[in-house]
Amino acid sequence: MVKYDLSHLKQEDNQIVVGPIQDDEALFLYSLIRVKRIKCVLEIGGLNGYSSINFIKAMEFDKKKYKLFTCDINKVPKININHFTIKKDVKELNVKDIFNSKIELLFLDCHTLTQYDIFKKFLFKGNIDENTIIALHDTNLHYQTIWNKNGEDNHVHQTVERNIVNLLKDKGYDIFCLHTNKDKHSKEFPFRHGITVCQIFKRLV
């Protein structure tokens, strides 16, 4: 068996994809799961399942004990028996949908502020705690891409996820933004969607 199976990362070098995580971002999240030995992920916003496959591949070190929950208003392809798809509006998501599991990684990618309400609800219920890592997609700016209708250099791709990052910072979370500056981009690599990772810092003693 291959120790790190990355065969699912099949995007072109320019990684021009609208919606899914880019392969470099997927590789980062894959590594994060492996380093932290994460076994329970909740993703809000699943689209065509590209990120779901990445989460499953990353957690396969745990054999059959890991769990991936994907909530989307549309049907998301079910990857395997460890993948639990939840077809509903995120505002209706509750702890029963995740079998009252403790979430180790929360991935926010559905572009509605209701995601923050779910975070607060699950935090209150104890399904999210100070050890839970929160990752948000689409937090970077886009520079001179096809989305820039007016040609601006710092087009905000998704306002909601950026706002949630600020809310989490105000709540005491440490924030690590994996963002690129304009000078990192060219015709060969026009944009980076951006990943931001958040966690409560516990003082090292």
Side-chain angles (χ1 to χ4, degrees):
M1 180 180 177
V2 178
K3 186 174 183 179
Y4 301 115
D5 181 4
L6 304 176
S7 60
H8 59 290
L9 304 181
K10 299 178 180 179
Q11 294 170 8
E12 300 293 333
D13 289 346
N14 56 28
Q15 297 180 57
I16 299 178
V17 290
V18 182
I21 55 176
Q22 294 168 293
D23 276 353
D24 291 344
E25 297 169 338
L27 186 60
F28 172 81
L29 292 170
Y30 183 105
S31 300
L32 176 65
I33 287 171
R34 283 300 181 98
V35 169
K36 293 283 291 181
R37 308 302 277 182
I38 288 171
K39 302 177 184 180
C40 187
V41 175
L42 168 61
E43 63 170 339
I44 299 178
L47 199 61
N48 61 5
Y50 199 78
S51 57
S52 299
I53 294 172
N54 187 60
F55 290 135
I56 290 290
K57 290 288 188 181
M59 290 190 288
E60 282 183 342
F61 71 89
D62 192 46
K63 309 305 180 187
K64 298 181 180 180
K65 297 179 182 178
Y66 64 88
K67 291 175 287 190
L68 169 64
F69 300 96
T70 302
C71 178
D72 198 291
I73 197 168
N74 299 305
K75 185 176 181 179
V76 176
K78 183 179 175 68
I79 308 303
N80 63 16
I81 60 172
N82 299 89
H83 186 202
F84 305 93
T85 57
I86 307 161
K87 185 178 180 298
K88 62 169 54 176
D89 192 308
V90 62
K91 65 184 178 185
E92 299 173 356
L93 188 65
N94 59 68
V95 295
K96 290 182 180 179
D97 293 319
I98 62 168
F99 313 142
N100 204 30
S101 303
K102 183 79 74 173
I103 300 302
E104 297 180 78
L105 172 63
L106 174 64
F107 184 62
L108 304 181
D109 193 21
C110 83
H111 320 314
T112 171
L113 198 55
T114 310
Q115 296 174 109
Y116 188 69
D117 295 332
I118 294 300
F119 156 76
K120 290 190 295 183
K121 179 197 293 187
F122 283 19
L123 183 66
F124 177 77
K125 295 281 188 180
N127 302 90
I128 289 173
D129 61 20
E130 70 278 3
N131 295 312
T132 303
I133 296 173
I134 304 169
L136 304 94
H137 192 218
D138 295 317
T139 54
N140 198 20
L141 299 174
H142 280 178
Y143 302 99
Q144 298 182 338
T145 74
I146 57 175
W147 288 279
N148 294 5
K149 304 295 184 183
N150 301 317
E152 64 266 34
D153 277 347
N154 55 345
H155 174 71
V156 175
H157 179 43
Q158 293 293 345
T159 302
V160 169
E161 276 73 17
R162 290 172 67 90
N163 287 341
I164 293 175
V165 169
N166 293 332
L167 289 170
L168 289 170
K169 180 63 178 178
D170 293 342
K171 202 170 181 64
Y173 277 76
D174 279 354
I175 309 295
F176 178 40
C177 296
L178 286 91
H179 292 171
T180 48
N181 295 324
K182 181 181 177 181
D183 62 1
K184 300 295 183 181
H185 296 280
S186 63
K187 291 180 180 179
E188 289 73 33
F189 190 72
F191 61 84
R192 170 78 77 207
H193 293 311
I195 294 280
T196 296
V197 179
C198 317
Q199 190 178 33
I200 292 290
F201 176 71
K202 290 184 289 186
R203 188 170 182 82
L204 306 181
V205 293

